[in-house]
Amino acid sequence: MQNATLKFEQLLDENAIYFPTIDNAALEAKNSGKWSKKEILGHLVDSAIHNLVRFTEINYLEKPYHHRPYSQNDLVNLNQYQTMDSNELIPLWLSLNKQIVRVFKGVDEKALDYQIIMNDQSVIDLKFLMTDYVEHLEYHINQIKA
């Protein structure tokens, strides 16, 4: 987990500086049917909210933990990220993810093996979910930077 946490912190540090430099027109530009860069950032906020709950709940709810999906497109639209001021959106993204870093750093080694039942009934563990979160974050950050 240490490598994933270090990568996570590096992504946050680099992009906390980079994101505010992106021109607002570039952030809001939409390609047919796809999310704008601002909406991708909003999706990362939604992902942070839901995963923060998952990363903490698994420690005190009955095991195995059952993964609850969320409607990504509906949340991006309902939260109106496209019209949200970037000066509010970027700090929100950063703050939520800094809290997740704190959770990563404090996770009990035994908890990393806690089982999670996915919707398709496959089973993963907390360690996989946490490392996958960092990969998901990096994937979308690269979309924003493209």
Side-chain angles (χ1 to χ4, degrees):
M1 275 311 304
Q2 186 176 5
N3 288 341
T5 303
L6 289 172
K7 182 178 184 178
F8 190 4
E9 288 180 302
Q10 182 179 6
L11 287 168
L12 295 181
D13 290 345
E14 290 172 1
N15 292 291
I17 295 166
Y18 173 70
F19 285 167
T21 68
I22 304 172
D23 179 70
N24 207 48
L27 278 175
E28 293 179 355
K30 292 194 61 112
N31 290 331
S32 60
K34 296 191 179 200
W35 286 337
S36 68
K37 292 176 186 221
K38 191 184 262 189
E39 288 170 321
I40 293 170
L41 188 55
H43 164 66
L44 290 176
V45 166
D46 293 333
S47 176
I49 291 167
H50 284 83
N51 281 289
L52 178 58
V53 170
R54 292 171 182 151
F55 298 149
T56 54
E57 275 186 344
I58 195 169
N59 290 283
Y60 61 83
L61 290 181
E62 183 179 335
K63 313 296 183 286
Y65 182 80
H66 289 267
H67 183 274
R68 292 181 315 273
Y70 60 96
S71 179
Q72 299 174 16
N73 288 325
D74 287 337
L75 284 174
V76 166
N77 291 331
L78 289 166
N79 283 303
Q80 303 174 37
Y81 294 122
Q82 182 67 7
T83 59
M84 188 173 184
D85 186 325
S86 299
N87 293 321
E88 294 176 16
L89 181 59
I90 294 167
L92 177 60
W93 167 80
L94 184 61
S95 181
L96 287 165
N97 280 288
K98 283 185 174 185
Q99 180 58 30
I100 294 173
V101 166
R102 280 189 274 289
V103 171
F104 273 35
K105 287 181 174 181
V107 71
D108 186 305
E109 287 293 318
K110 292 183 297 185
L112 294 173
D113 294 327
Y114 289 160
Q115 291 190 334
I116 301 167
I117 309 245
M118 304 300 286
N119 276 1
D120 65 2
Q121 301 307 308
S122 62
V123 179
I124 62 171
D125 60 23
L126 180 59
K127 182 176 183 178
F128 177 85
L129 187 65
M130 292 173 105
T131 55
D132 186 62
Y133 178 79
V134 176
E135 291 172 13
H136 173 260
L137 180 69
E138 182 177 38
Y139 172 80
H140 286 301
I141 284 172
N142 288 335
Q143 285 183 314
I144 293 169
K145 288 181 165 182

